[in-house]
Amino acid sequence: EADIYQTPRYLVIGTGKKITLECSQTMGHDKMYWYQQDPGMELHLIHYSYGVNSTEKGDLSSESTVSRIRTEHFPLTLESARPSHTSQYLCASSEGLAGYEQYFGPGTRLTVT
Amino acid sequence: DAKTTQPNSMESNEEEPVHLPCNHSTISGTDYIHWYRQLPSQGPEYVIHGLTSNVNNRMASLAIAEDRKSSTLILHRATLRDAAVYYCILRIQGAQKLVFGQGTRLTINP
């Protein structure tokens, strides 16, 4: 059973607001990821981290930022939300060495009005 | 990244086997074949992976063609809970990133 959590599950917020999407895992995984998925579409990697103080941008350009101060925590921040940011955001983690399985959280569905 | 091609959708009946195909003609020798599935309103979950030999686990079987240019995910006895989008993904050995395609939307009829 994967132990990866995301909060909030749903968020409706107005344009211009700053938001932080939380992601935590209790498995001690070194690697963590953020994906963005529009309804009915494929997932796109927007950020990843291979360990504490390590963050990289993914394959899809995103205006969001991430931080990795603790192993278990990988929050994603949007400084000024816009309607184009409306999407589902999925967090995942995997083991550091020969980890091949990514464990996904339930996702945060963000709507910016 | 090498590409995979999957049918957009498939339909099957409950308690029957389901064979989900995936073409990956540009696969390289170090690419692993991974399958994930995404149930409605949930994040994806790992199903199975393999390199050259066929693989079995509690969820499914993975049959890999001898030339590795295609593979098939086999659900031996589908249930309604198997209705999901199934993604076939190639992962370079040692790489951690996964590149998701459109996947196959599987519908299971009661």
Side-chain angles (χ1 to χ4, degrees):
Chain A
E1 189 75 23
D3 295 316
I4 181 163
Y5 309 97
Q6 291 186 245
T7 57
R9 290 292 313 276
Y10 303 92
L11 179 62
V12 180
I13 202 162
T15 297
K17 300 290 185 183
K18 177 179 179 179
I19 59 171
T20 296
L21 308 184
E22 301 289 347
C23 176
S24 294
Q25 49 96 5
T26 59
M27 297 171 283
H29 287 170
D30 287 333
K31 295 175 172 58
M32 296 189 73
Y33 314 82
W34 276 103
Y35 293 84
Q36 184 175 341
Q37 184 180 34
D38 292 332
M41 305 298 287
E42 57 211 75
L43 285 81
H44 292 283
L45 181 68
I46 53 174
H47 297 283
Y48 62 98
S49 168
Y50 284 174
V52 171
N53 294 325
S54 155
T55 61
E56 301 286 345
K57 289 192 179 296
D59 304 320
L60 179 70
S61 175
S62 173
E63 294 170 345
S64 58
T65 59
V66 292
S67 62
R68 190 87 184 276
I69 298 172
R70 302 199 316 265
T71 298
E72 62 271 21
H73 197 212
F74 191 40
L76 180 144
T77 299
L78 278 165
E79 290 292 332
S80 179
R82 293 208 296 267
S84 60
H85 297 141
T86 294
S87 189
Q88 173 158 257
Y89 293 85
L90 290 153
C91 180
S93 72
S94 64
E95 291 181 57
L97 294 175
Y100 47 78
E101 179 176 352
Q102 287 191 14
Y103 296 88
F104 282 81
T108 293
R109 188 167 295 283
L110 173 66
T111 302
V112 183
T113 61
Chain B
D1 296 312
K3 297 290 185 186
T4 63
T5 304
Q6 300 177 253
N8 289 332
S9 63
M10 289 184 64
E11 204 169 320
S12 185
N13 298 319
E14 202 175 6
E15 299 187 5
E16 291 183 359
V18 180
H19 290 232
L20 295 162
C22 181
N23 288 320
H24 28 79
S25 57
T26 60
I27 192 171
S28 73
T30 54
D31 286 342
Y32 283 79
I33 303 160
H34 285 247
W35 284 82
Y36 280 73
R37 72 178 186 181
Q38 187 172 20
L39 280 64
S41 301
Q42 294 187 28
E45 64 174 344
Y46 168 83
V47 177
I48 200 166
H49 82 285
L51 183 62
T52 56
S53 304
N54 294 343
V55 185
N56 300 299
N57 67 19
R58 63 175 180 82
M59 289 181 71
S61 295
L62 176 60
I64 302 172
E66 199 168 328
D67 63 4
R68 300 213 321 131
K69 294 184 184 303
S70 65
S71 60
T72 302
L73 180 71
I74 302 166
L75 307 179
H76 294 286
R77 198 161 169 264
T79 70
L80 296 178
R81 289 174 295 179
D82 291 321
V85 178
Y86 286 79
Y87 298 98
C88 171
I89 302 166
L90 299 183
R91 183 181 69 82
I92 300 169
Q93 185 180 30
Q96 293 293 332
K97 293 191 292 180
L98 298 175
V99 179
F100 287 80
Q102 294 272 3
T104 296
R105 183 173 298 277
L106 176 65
T107 301
I108 304 296
N109 300 315

